[in-house]
Amino acid sequence: MPLMTSWVASANDATHPFPLNNLPYGVFSTEGDDPRCGVAIGDMILDVTAAEAEGLITLSDEPLFDMPFWNPLMEEGPAVWTALRARLISLLAEGSDEQAKVEPLLVKQEDAEMHLPFAVSEYTDFYAGRNHAFNVGTMFRGPENALPPNWLHIPIGYNGRASSVVVSGTDIRRPWGQLKAPDQDLPAFLPSRRFDIELEMGAIVGTPSDGPITVQEADDNIFGYVLLNDWSARDIQAWEYQPLGPFQAKATATSISPWIVTKAALEPFRCDTPPREFELLDHLKDCGPMLYDIDLAITMAPAGQPATTIARTNYNQMYYSAAQQLAHHTTSGCPMNTGDLLGSGTISGPTKPERGSLLELSWGGKEPLTLDSGETRSFIEDGDTLTLTGAARGDGYTIGFGECVGTVLPALENPYSR
Amino acid sequence: MPLMTSWVASANDATHPFPLNNLPYGVFSTEGDDPRCGVAIGDMILDVTAAEAEGLITLSDEPLFDMPFWNPLMEEGPAVWTALRARLISLLAEGSDEQAKVEPLLVKQEDAEMHLPFAVSEYTDFYAGRNHAFNVGTMFRGPENALPPNWLHIPIGYNGRASSVVVSGTDIRRPWGQLKAPDQDLPAFLPSRRFDIELEMGAIVGTPSDGPITVQEADDNIFGYVLLNDWSARDIQAWEYQPLGPFQAKATATSISPWIVTKAALEPFRCDTPPREFELLDHLKDCGPMLYDIDLAITMAPAGQPATTIARTNYNQMYYSAAQQLAHHTTSGCPMNTGDLLGSGTISGPTKPERGSLLELSWGGKEPLTLDSGETRSFIEDGDTLTLTGAARGDGYTIGFGECVGTVLPALENPYSR
């Protein structure tokens, strides 16, 4: 599929993240107005809430865009998702005879503030990148025991905290927590010293389910994808995570990029999961290409300094697809709802500059990174800005995700010394 | 505090679970009508939604009870909680001059179907009963290493799945899952063979928070308590839980009792947590009696047979209170919302007949229980009905919780053999 051209001129550039082929969904506001639904096209946002109110989009008897969330559309299911995309293309394509009606509904992205694009029902985080699991396992248990025995048979995951999901651009406050230094006998309550990122993709459940579903049904139920940074306090995690998994280490914040890139936009970039060491059981078997070829990168910028790219990798490095993760999530009968968010797990490639966390990049702090400015980093320092980017590169066009960015602020005063 | 008498005669019995001292909040429907809010008094339910509509309860400019959930009241905060309780007491107390107006709004409990009393925002399950943690740890790691090193310093918890919370009376379908028998090299996808209960109390967050809160603030933010059964597939759990904790083993269902017993009703039953082996850090220090003296019991009834009481224990056996758990939950900055549900963790006393799970009662299946009928059980068999009950026993009155009951149905046909 080549670049589809739009009468919004800025969208017709081979490297622009938001061509007509993309049409990602977000929630925005301008100058303190109420947040509303919008779709990115080039440097502009089409105000979808206004377009519906003016009768340019009519998909349902009830309004779908009168709340600042995309959940109502997601609940409508794939036929309506397809209808909306077709309608938006007809409104925005070069030669559209409705350009005059649509033009007044465009807002410049640079004038807009972005909000969470959907109400997060529940959040699950997986651990389904093999290189990441191997790296972390090697640091903790040595290379012979790096992968837990179950790892090649099921996508290991844990439930995270939906209330902690924030939109890109939200500042992240360094957390306090209980932690125990290796040379101490007893734990102490301190600000985290090993605060980290995790480069992930997030898959958003569109269609709910109530009982076990197949991998194909799971793929059908997914609405779209975002970039996701699962901020992680490694020192809190090390002390708390046995035997029931990470808890407060992961509850400070999880940032997502502001634009939901739909499954439809990513269709040309589907790719296969890797060869399997063990054949997967029926409920997890691959039934088509369900990963995506998406280039990913992380930059780090100390306060007042330019950003250094510290890692580049690709979503195609995952061992399990989001569809396999979602199918596994339902095996026990667990109901899944519109707005559930599934983190892929940290995405690391096989070589050092492809690692998706500082824990791996600095090898647990033993091999600090050197930034372009000459500063070194093992973990995040106060004032550092971390940015994730993602792009699928097509034939003469790009499907971008926007940025997933957060700046780490100093810890509060001890909240219990009041 | 003695028994408070009501003009609803059935409420004035020293052993009745719902005297005027209690006034627990539920959601009910009759004969297919829409669910609405109600308060239990003796054998009756006062239709609170109707009482508000008729002007007998006026706490807010906006209606608080026009949705079938108690969340809007919870969001109002402690002053309104207190005002509602005072108003209900004045309407229902013996000698009330409004009896004639209230009487038509009473419904017999036996005619009502109960629903989830609140919308569960997120669900967290703790592991904060020392006897349970010691028993399980002993089975898995021996008595010397039974308690993980962190256990005496923090209430260990993990995020569960809110979508799986169901009201008492809902049948529970035995789950399928990936599991690996000890004598097998590879996992298989099978119905769980070690399906179990966990006797817990659930604490409900009423007032939201956005950042670290103290134990006292946490106690203030809790709205009330329910009985909670965290259905657990032990064989799925054993295979999946390393390294990130239980996931599908706990996602089939969590049952709660239908009546929210308010903190106000439980006030006379406050008791202290046990002596500490290690002094707790400041953010977890006890600041008053925040556990409750609540007698708890489990019965088991095979299909068509009478119930056998298989365990009796008390909520005062916990090592950490719900207030300490909630405070710990916020240390990293995790936002907490109205409707968040916190499971206490399995409540076991020190002796064998006080154990709150079949895993402990049958010691991992090695010491099957004998029921009154002569049948034996290591774990749950299809058709078994498990019932939790709870009661705080005052001076001439009882604060009951109602039942938390579920019958286990056979597993579905293999959902992936279609």
Side-chain angles (χ1 to χ4, degrees):
Chain A
M1 179 181 290
L3 177 73
M4 298 159 66
T5 53
S6 169
W7 52 261
V8 180
S10 57
N12 301 329
D13 182 301
T15 64
H16 198 290
F18 304 131
L20 189 60
N21 307 55
N22 193 348
L23 298 178
Y25 301 144
V27 169
F28 72 102
S29 62
T30 48
E31 292 182 0
D33 279 357
D34 287 339
R36 49 203 193 274
C37 294
V39 57
I41 179 75
D43 296 340
M44 310 298 282
I45 301 172
L46 168 61
D47 185 335
V48 172
T49 299
E52 183 182 55
E54 298 196 5
L56 285 169
I57 296 172
T58 50
L59 297 170
S60 163
D61 293 341
E62 299 292 314
L64 293 178
F65 306 110
D66 61 343
M67 290 198 303
F69 292 118
W70 284 81
N71 301 57
L73 175 76
M74 293 194 241
E75 285 168 10
E76 293 288 313
V80 178
W81 307 347
T82 301
L84 175 63
R85 183 170 171 87
R87 180 62 183 146
L88 290 170
I89 289 172
S90 91
L91 290 173
L92 292 166
E94 194 167 51
S96 167
D97 55 14
E98 293 169 293
Q99 178 176 345
K101 290 186 222 160
V102 175
E103 240 170 341
L105 306 180
L106 293 181
V107 174
K108 285 184 191 164
Q109 279 173 35
E110 65 186 27
D111 295 340
E113 179 186 355
M114 300 305 295
H115 304 270
L116 267 185
F118 66 105
V120 183
S121 295
E122 297 191 65
Y123 166 49
T124 308
D125 193 32
F126 285 87
Y127 184 62
R130 182 163 185 172
N131 296 305
H132 171 72
F134 183 81
N135 288 338
V136 172
T138 299
M139 274 183 259
F140 290 170
R141 292 179 296 272
E144 302 77 18
N145 302 305
L147 284 188
N150 50 21
W151 202 94
L152 294 168
H153 300 282
I154 41 177
I156 296 295
Y158 66 98
N159 297 298
R161 183 77 195 173
S163 67
S164 70
V165 178
V166 297
V167 72
S168 172
T170 306
D171 289 336
I172 308 300
R173 181 69 67 178
R174 179 183 299 276
W176 287 75
Q178 195 179 116
L179 42 95
K180 192 178 83 62
D183 59 344
Q184 299 288 320
D185 287 338
L186 291 174
F189 192 74
L190 294 167
S192 171
R193 298 161 183 169
R194 292 163 72 93
F195 197 52
D196 197 0
I197 52 165
E198 292 196 335
L199 166 62
E200 305 190 24
M201 295 292 299
I204 302 159
V205 175
T207 305
S209 56
D210 189 15
I213 61 174
T214 64
V215 173
Q216 181 61 57
E217 288 166 338
D219 192 65
D220 293 343
N221 286 358
I222 292 170
F223 180 70
Y225 291 83
V226 290
L227 302 173
L228 186 149
N229 182 353
D230 189 42
W231 303 90
S232 300
R234 302 295 179 193
D235 37 10
I236 298 173
Q237 186 174 354
W239 174 236
E240 76 176 0
Y241 93 107
Q242 285 292 3
L244 299 185
F247 184 52
Q248 288 305 286
K250 301 282 195 166
T252 301
T254 295
S255 301
I256 62 171
S257 52
W259 296 106
I260 303 172
V261 176
T262 62
K263 205 168 46 178
L266 291 171
E267 210 53 40
F269 304 97
R270 283 184 182 265
C271 61
D272 289 315
T273 50
R276 303 293 173 184
E277 236 162 279
F278 294 100
E279 188 179 353
L280 292 173
L281 290 170
D282 284 349
H283 69 294
L284 289 171
K285 276 216 167 71
D286 288 289
C287 55
M290 292 184 181
L291 278 181
Y292 297 93
D293 176 4
I294 300 170
D295 288 335
L296 302 166
I298 310 171
T299 70
M300 186 176 215
Q305 293 184 26
T308 301
T309 298
I310 59 174
R312 290 183 192 279
T313 181
N314 192 295
Y315 184 45
N316 64 18
Q317 292 293 322
M318 302 305 296
Y319 196 76
Y320 296 100
S321 66
Q324 287 170 318
Q325 294 172 333
L326 175 53
H328 178 64
H329 210 318
T330 68
T331 47
S332 68
C334 182
M336 303 300 296
N337 289 313
T338 300
D340 283 340
L341 174 64
L342 274 55
S344 59
T346 307
I347 306 165
S348 293
T351 71
K352 184 165 179 176
E354 294 172 278
R355 295 175 185 164
S357 68
L358 291 167
L359 178 69
E360 296 166 84
L361 287 163
S362 75
W363 207 250
K366 291 181 186 160
E367 303 169 15
L369 295 175
T370 301
L371 304 180
D372 292 348
S373 61
E375 288 195 47
T376 60
R377 286 288 185 277
S378 290
F379 293 96
I380 301 170
E381 298 195 5
D382 291 343
D384 288 351
T385 296
L386 280 298
T387 304
L388 313 182
T389 53
R393 302 186 198 284
D395 178 19
Y397 71 99
T398 302
I399 300 289
F401 281 75
E403 292 186 335
C404 180
V405 57
T407 299
V408 172
L409 304 182
L412 294 169
E413 296 282 297
N414 183 343
Y416 304 103
S417 64
R418 299 180 249 179
Chain B
M1 179 181 289
L3 176 74
M4 298 160 66
T5 53
S6 169
W7 53 261
V8 179
S10 57
N12 300 329
D13 182 302
T15 64
H16 198 290
F18 305 131
L20 190 59
N21 306 56
N22 192 348
L23 298 178
Y25 301 145
V27 169
F28 73 101
S29 62
T30 48
E31 292 184 357
D33 279 358
D34 287 340
R36 48 203 193 275
C37 293
V39 57
I41 178 72
D43 296 340
M44 311 297 284
I45 302 171
L46 168 61
D47 184 335
V48 171
T49 299
E52 183 181 56
E54 299 195 6
L56 286 169
I57 296 172
T58 52
L59 298 170
S60 163
D61 293 341
E62 299 291 315
L64 293 178
F65 306 111
D66 61 345
M67 291 198 304
F69 292 118
W70 284 81
N71 301 57
L73 175 78
M74 294 194 243
E75 285 168 10
E76 293 289 313
V80 177
W81 307 346
T82 301
L84 175 63
R85 183 170 171 86
R87 180 61 183 146
L88 290 170
I89 289 171
S90 91
L91 290 174
L92 292 166
E94 194 167 50
S96 168
D97 55 13
E98 292 169 292
Q99 179 177 344
K101 289 186 224 160
V102 175
E103 241 169 341
L105 307 179
L106 293 181
V107 173
K108 285 184 190 164
Q109 278 174 38
E110 64 186 26
D111 295 340
E113 179 186 356
M114 301 304 296
H115 305 268
L116 268 186
F118 66 104
V120 183
S121 295
E122 297 192 65
Y123 166 48
T124 308
D125 193 33
F126 284 88
Y127 185 63
R130 181 163 185 173
N131 296 305
H132 171 72
F134 183 81
N135 288 337
V136 172
T138 299
M139 274 183 260
F140 290 169
R141 293 179 295 272
E144 302 76 21
N145 301 307
L147 285 187
N150 50 20
W151 201 94
L152 294 167
H153 300 282
I154 39 176
I156 296 296
Y158 66 98
N159 297 298
R161 183 77 197 175
S163 67
S164 71
V165 178
V166 297
V167 72
S168 172
T170 306
D171 290 336
I172 308 300
R173 181 68 68 178
R174 179 184 299 278
W176 286 76
Q178 194 178 115
L179 42 95
K180 192 179 81 63
D183 59 344
Q184 299 288 320
D185 287 338
L186 290 173
F189 192 73
L190 294 167
S192 171
R193 296 161 184 170
R194 291 163 73 93
F195 197 52
D196 197 0
I197 53 167
E198 292 196 334
L199 166 62
E200 305 191 21
M201 296 292 299
I204 302 160
V205 175
T207 306
S209 57
D210 190 13
I213 61 175
T214 65
V215 173
Q216 181 62 56
E217 288 166 337
D219 192 64
D220 293 344
N221 287 357
I222 292 171
F223 179 70
Y225 291 83
V226 289
L227 303 173
L228 185 150
N229 182 353
D230 188 43
W231 303 90
S232 299
R234 301 297 178 192
D235 39 9
I236 298 173
Q237 187 174 354
W239 173 237
E240 76 176 359
Y241 93 107
Q242 285 291 3
L244 298 184
F247 184 51
Q248 287 305 286
K250 302 281 195 168
T252 301
T254 295
S255 300
I256 62 171
S257 51
W259 295 106
I260 303 172
V261 176
T262 62
K263 206 168 46 179
L266 292 171
E267 209 53 39
F269 304 97
R270 283 184 181 265
C271 61
D272 289 314
T273 50
R276 303 291 174 187
E277 237 161 278
F278 294 100
E279 188 178 354
L280 293 174
L281 290 170
D282 284 349
H283 69 292
L284 289 172
K285 276 216 166 70
D286 288 289
C287 56
M290 293 183 181
L291 278 182
Y292 297 94
D293 177 3
I294 300 170
D295 288 334
L296 302 166
I298 311 172
T299 69
M300 185 176 215
Q305 293 183 25
T308 301
T309 298
I310 59 173
R312 289 182 194 280
T313 183
N314 192 296
Y315 184 46
N316 64 18
Q317 293 293 323
M318 301 306 296
Y319 196 77
Y320 296 100
S321 66
Q324 287 170 318
Q325 294 172 334
L326 175 54
H328 178 64
H329 210 318
T330 68
T331 47
S332 66
C334 181
M336 303 300 295
N337 289 313
T338 300
D340 283 340
L341 174 63
L342 274 55
S344 58
T346 307
I347 306 167
S348 294
T351 70
K352 184 164 180 177
E354 295 173 280
R355 294 175 184 164
S357 67
L358 291 167
L359 178 69
E360 296 166 84
L361 286 164
S362 74
W363 207 250
K366 292 181 185 160
E367 302 170 14
L369 295 177
T370 301
L371 305 181
D372 293 347
S373 62
E375 286 194 47
T376 60
R377 285 289 184 277
S378 289
F379 292 95
I380 302 170
E381 298 194 5
D382 292 343
D384 289 351
T385 296
L386 281 297
T387 304
L388 313 182
T389 54
R393 302 185 199 283
D395 178 18
Y397 71 100
T398 303
I399 300 290
F401 281 75
E403 293 186 335
C404 181
V405 56
T407 298
V408 172
L409 305 182
L412 293 170
E413 296 282 296
N414 184 343
Y416 303 103
S417 64
R418 301 180 248 178

